[in-house]
Amino acid sequence: MGKEEEGMPNTCVRGCCSSTHIPLAIPKTHFNITKEIARGAESVVYEARLEGKLVAAKKPKLSTSADLDRFHEELQILSKVEHPNVATLVGVRAYPPDYFFFYHLYENGNLGDALHEADWRPTLQQILTIAIQLAKALQYLHKEGIVHRDVKPANILLDSNWGAHLGDFGLAIRAVDLKKPSEQNWKSTGKPTGGFHKKNMVGTLLYMAPEILRKDVQSEKSDVYGFGITINELLTGVVPYTDRKTAAQAHTVLEMNYSEQQLSAAVTSQGLRPVLADPESGVPPVLASLIQQCWEGDASLRPSFDKIVETLDAIIIPQPHVKTLLNNHEQQQTVPVDLQNNALDAILSYNLQQKRTEVNWAARAAKDWEPTSTQLFSVSPSWLTPSMDNSVYCPTLSMGSFATKGARQTMEDTHFVIFQLGGADHVSVFGVFDGHRGPEAAEFAALAIPSFLSKSAALSPQEALMAAFTETDIVFRRELEMQRSQKKGTSGAQWHPGCTATTALLTGNKLFVANAGDCRTVLCRNGKAIQLSKDHTASCIEERERIISAGGHVSWQVDTWRVGAAALEVTRSIGDDDLKPFVTAEPELQECVLSADDEFLVIASDGLWEKLTNNDVVALVKDTVKEPSMVSKRLATESVERGSRDNITVIVVFLTPVSTVERVY
Ligand SMILES: Nc1ncnc2c1ncn2[C@@H]1O[C@H](COP(=O)(O)OP(=O)(O)OP(=O)(O)O)[C@@H](O)[C@H]1O
Ligand SMILES: [Mn+2]
Ligand SMILES: [Mn+2]
């Protein structure tokens, strides 16, 4: 009686693999093979009975000693992993001459076959479920320090409920072992083509990240790439780089159009990617955008699985009945219904809870604030003192706002809405800030600007706004310098956050708008849109000339005019200390006197204006119930639906009395 028959030891024949819960030395008498399920490049998979239970028995092809080494490496990894979305290993026979992995049998086979052989057409909900399950499996593996390296539909196994389980750890490796040159890693499978047989190569190539194709340094981010390609395939039903839905056809198309080398070259150096799932066809824009981030050429730009899980969890598939409710006039009282059950709504409100940066810039702004120019001017009476003149028109205000990071991973917009600044009934201030190269400047400015304004009663409103912008910029850059010197070295030199800013100051019937950058303020007067700010971008010739005469450099890069080495599109901002003084913080000012003709103000970051014209915005506001927060949200939602990829912040201020039940059609 051999050693193996004495019981079921939990170690392999070499003694290098062990498990606390999986028997590693299942005797031959304990299982019998019933039929072949699949013949892979490196294995044959059979249906089998193990102690009466139906299982999948994977018999790896072990022809060389390198293959045997690889078997033990795979087993060492497999015996340590346990996750609901990783294919469950129930037993192993790690003894010659027959090596077997016994897995739970997944009734619906692999995802690739389901899509392209069985013509399974998953619903959006099923797709999202699989995406989340797969993301969680990979999140877990990465936490455990394991990189899978072969994420593709053929390695995703589907249970009877179409739940996903990641299988095939044939190429999995410990992240610590990835440090070696990658050619070495691929050779470790012992196959002449560096790990893949010719036939299999094509199938796998499609999911391989550029750095792998280039034999460059790999990381767990290579799994993110395969995940992106896989989820896109799941959404489109199309084999990557083809227009075919069945695998057999796909291979011919693929081989006809591209050789292996041509495809690799196109993917690595020309950024070729499969056709992206189309948001027009009902794919949530956030999901499409996530896929694009996942298959970024630069691995460092791909999101982590923590981030992916977070993003996917926030997506709720739009319910088809929502649209009908929208058109049902009897639902007038329950206005938010159009947004409540909506996918966007979930994303939008979820985004509001996003975490802020570690450095508490806001507290610093308030604490360190010391306006330097307050003493220079003197106006009387102060704009903070209410006018006694009752004949002056006084708008009735109602205001609301909405902010979302939209399809972006981080939120760099900030805003403030202040009713009765410094306790003055007739003074309100609104500000929107759009951060770039980090949220710090925007966070700082949203506190510093109103704080400065409330302390500038001695200045005229115009001077107060001008000084609030320029002083905020100076104090911020000083603060940044301090932070940088404390950080000592850690990416500090490259750290130049900035933000665009627009601030509207309303005192009695006078409106003052200060703007630096491409946020925008629009007034609706008599049903017409009046833009009260100019967009400061390098596409604007006057701005380009101003920059050049101030000693800055402007050039056409990629798709538009950009400033300096940082390639900034905006020409005015707070912060951006590497581009000062030509990217100035000095705002342009506009003012107007309000009358009963003035209906509302919309102040928003460029994420809104990118997809909506001033007239679109006016039309949408008219078409929405007159509740300012709801209108703000409606505008942001509309922009996201039209494909805005940016953070969006919207403030809506109604200037005349409005009723929330009033609807204009
Ligand atoms: N537990 C299982 N339940 C059902 N089917 C399975 C299971 N394990 C594997 N299969 C089937 O066998 C196929 C090959 O399995 P696996 O990917 O593990 O082998 P491989 O030889 O490493 O394949 P590859 O050619 O992708 O390297 C899978 O695509 C799937 O169709
Ligand atoms: Mn496989
Ligand atoms: Mn494999």
Side-chain angles (χ1 to χ4, degrees):
M1 210 185 248
K3 184 185 172 189
E4 60 183 76
E5 252 99 347
E6 286 161 12
M8 300 221 286
N10 278 355
T11 54
C12 66
V13 65
R14 290 184 183 175
C16 62
C17 311
S18 65
S19 169
T20 51
H21 57 290
I22 306 163
L24 298 187
I26 293 181
K28 273 205 252 177
T29 51
H30 285 219
F31 63 91
N32 60 301
I33 304 294
T34 46
K35 67 173 187 203
E36 187 179 311
I37 305 177
R39 195 164 277 268
E42 303 139 338
S43 68
V44 185
V45 179
Y46 303 95
E47 191 181 285
R49 273 193 189 276
L50 175 63
E51 283 139 15
K53 272 194 321 192
L54 264 186
V55 293
K58 179 172 173 174
K59 186 179 192 335
K61 292 172 189 163
L62 305 174
S63 42
T64 66
S65 67
D67 290 349
L68 263 173
D69 291 346
R70 179 60 223 169
F71 173 85
H72 287 278
E73 274 171 52
E74 184 174 348
L75 180 53
Q76 280 169 23
I77 290 175
L78 273 175
S79 57
K80 302 263 170 320
V81 300
E82 212 181 347
H83 187 273
N85 301 112
V86 169
T88 309
L89 190 67
V90 292
V92 179
R93 181 183 161 82
Y95 281 79
D98 299 307
Y99 290 81
F100 279 102
F101 290 112
F102 296 99
Y103 284 96
H104 178 91
L105 182 73
Y106 294 98
E107 295 87 338
N108 279 313
N110 78 62
L111 176 61
D113 286 350
L115 288 176
H116 309 303
E117 306 286 346
D119 268 338
W120 179 51
R121 291 289 164 264
T123 63
L124 203 46
Q125 187 60 61
Q126 284 173 316
I127 293 172
L128 193 63
T129 304
I130 291 176
I132 290 173
Q133 291 172 335
L134 184 57
K136 286 189 171 160
L138 286 158
Q139 179 187 37
Y140 162 79
L141 291 176
H142 291 182
K143 283 233 166 63
E144 295 292 309
I146 296 162
V147 185
H148 185 275
R149 301 202 300 176
D150 204 8
V151 177
K152 58 176 182 178
N155 288 339
I156 296 161
L157 302 165
L158 299 169
D159 61 30
S160 55
N161 292 319
W162 305 101
H165 307 265
L166 181 61
D168 193 355
F169 281 63
L171 290 175
I173 189 168
R174 286 176 204 87
V176 286
D177 297 331
L178 270 176
K179 303 285 182 275
K180 303 170 203 158
S182 50
E183 216 152 346
Q184 203 64 36
N185 292 329
W186 290 109
K187 265 195 207 129
S188 70
T189 55
K191 297 283 155 50
T193 55
F196 302 98
H197 288 295
K198 194 83 178 164
K199 177 184 151 280
N200 189 46
M201 184 72 190
V202 180
T204 299
L205 189 70
L206 309 177
Y207 307 92
M208 280 162 88
E211 65 273 16
I212 298 182
L213 295 171
R214 258 190 258 116
K215 297 202 163 47
D216 206 344
V217 180
Q218 309 164 27
S219 71
E220 75 284 351
K221 289 295 177 70
S222 309
D223 285 349
V224 177
Y225 182 94
F227 174 83
I229 304 277
T230 298
I231 301 309
N232 194 61
E233 180 171 340
L234 194 46
L235 283 163
T236 57
V238 168
V239 178
Y241 307 106
T242 72
D243 51 0
R244 301 304 157 100
K245 298 202 177 193
T246 67
Q249 281 175 308
H251 278 279
T252 48
V253 172
L254 199 65
E255 277 150 23
M256 259 166 44
N257 294 342
Y258 284 103
S259 70
E260 254 169 56
Q261 282 88 350
Q262 280 173 323
L263 182 65
S264 297
V267 168
T268 53
S269 49
Q270 291 150 40
L272 179 75
R273 293 294 181 274
V275 176
L276 182 67
D278 188 1
E280 299 271 283
S281 66
V283 173
V286 207
L287 188 52
S289 151
L290 181 69
I291 289 168
Q292 284 180 297
Q293 289 163 22
C294 289
W295 70 34
E296 273 283 354
D298 179 349
S300 69
L301 296 177
R302 295 176 207 147
S304 67
F305 276 104
D306 281 344
K307 195 73 219 175
I308 293 170
V309 167
E310 191 186 315
T311 307
L312 291 171
D313 270 341
I315 300 176
I316 295 168
I317 304 298
Q319 300 297 308
H321 67 269
V322 172
K323 276 275 186 280
T324 35
L325 283 180
L326 238 177
N327 300 331
N328 183 347
H329 287 234
E330 281 166 15
Q331 295 285 336
Q332 266 191 22
Q333 299 299 326
T334 57
V335 205
V337 84
D338 53 337
L339 293 162
Q340 254 170 14
N341 295 329
N342 194 291
L344 288 165
D345 185 52
I347 300 154
L348 298 176
S349 54
Y350 172 83
N351 290 342
L352 290 176
Q353 301 157 13
Q354 38 97 24
K355 293 169 217 86
R356 307 309 294 175
T357 43
E358 285 164 46
V359 184
N360 193 346
W361 293 88
R364 287 176 176 280
K367 181 178 135 279
D368 295 347
W369 190 249
E370 240 193 270
T372 52
S373 52
T374 315
Q375 301 81 10
L376 301 178
F377 311 91
S378 177
V379 279
S380 103
S382 159
W383 52 274
L384 275 169
T385 313
S387 151
M388 290 296 132
D389 187 353
N390 285 330
S391 65
V392 171
Y393 171 75
C394 193
T396 306
L397 304 184
S398 56
M399 54 204 82
S401 66
F402 189 76
T404 172
K405 65 180 172 181
R408 287 263 170 97
Q409 282 189 54
T410 55
M411 180 61 162
E412 296 181 341
D413 279 6
T414 61
H415 69 286
F416 68 81
V417 172
I418 297 172
F419 183 50
Q420 303 178 340
L421 181 75
D425 280 352
H426 66 301
V427 182
S428 297
V429 199
F430 316 97
V432 172
F433 308 88
D434 181 348
H436 45 253
R437 301 197 278 173
E440 294 85 359
E443 288 176 10
F444 186 93
L447 272 115
I449 286 186
S451 156
F452 182 83
L453 287 172
S454 67
K455 290 174 184 172
S456 346
L459 308 180
S460 72
Q462 297 92 326
E463 288 162 342
L465 282 166
M466 179 65 76
F469 274 57
T470 54
E471 295 281 315
T472 295
D473 174 61
I474 291 166
V475 178
F476 175 71
R477 288 190 282 131
R478 196 195 300 151
E479 199 56 49
L480 191 65
E481 195 54 55
M482 256 170 58
Q483 292 285 331
R484 258 200 301 255
S485 62
Q486 282 164 15
K487 275 196 161 185
K488 281 192 197 90
T490 57
S491 72
Q494 312 298 338
W495 193 35
H496 303 288
C499 71
T500 62
T502 192
T503 298
L505 171 65
L506 188 59
T507 157
N509 63 341
K510 294 199 189 69
L511 177 65
F512 303 90
V513 177
N515 181 57
D518 60 359
C519 294
R520 193 185 290 175
T521 299
V522 168
L523 171 70
C524 176
R525 172 175 288 176
N526 270 329
K528 295 227 157 51
I530 303 173
Q531 191 173 323
L532 291 180
S533 60
K534 183 171 121 186
D535 301 342
H536 299 127
T537 66
S539 322
C540 166
I541 179 123
E542 291 91 350
E543 283 298 298
R544 272 209 305 278
E545 281 167 357
R546 187 185 57 69
I547 298 251
I548 291 162
S549 61
H553 177 72
V554 188
S555 64
W556 181 270
Q557 283 181 53
V558 192
D559 53 345
T560 188
W561 289 97
R562 293 170 190 274
V563 185
L568 205 64
E569 274 183 74
V570 292
T571 52
R572 300 192 190 207
S573 72
I574 287 163
D576 292 309
D577 57 349
D578 55 335
L579 299 172
K580 288 281 175 300
F582 37 90
V583 171
T584 178
E586 241 173 64
E588 270 190 308
L589 291 167
Q590 293 196 30
E591 50 185 278
C592 68
V593 175
L594 300 180
S595 71
D597 292 339
D598 294 305
E599 297 163 56
F600 57 86
L601 272 177
V602 177
I603 306 159
S605 57
D606 69 318
L608 183 79
W609 308 108
E610 185 197 339
K611 295 291 168 188
L612 298 175
T613 65
N614 298 349
N615 289 336
D616 289 342
V617 165
V618 164
L620 280 162
V621 175
K622 288 193 175 281
D623 182 43
T624 307
V625 71
K626 301 297 173 285
E627 199 289 306
S629 311
M630 213 126 64
V631 174
S632 305
K633 194 173 188 174
R634 168 90 197 273
L635 292 174
T637 306
E638 189 67 31
S639 182
V640 171
E641 280 176 352
R642 292 191 191 187
S644 175
R645 298 251 168 274
D646 201 355
N647 297 154
I648 303 173
T649 298
V650 186
I651 298 174
V652 170
V653 183
F654 283 104
L655 302 167
T656 56
V658 284
S659 147
T660 52
V661 284
E662 174 193 353
R663 240 190 217 262
V664 185
Y665 286 100

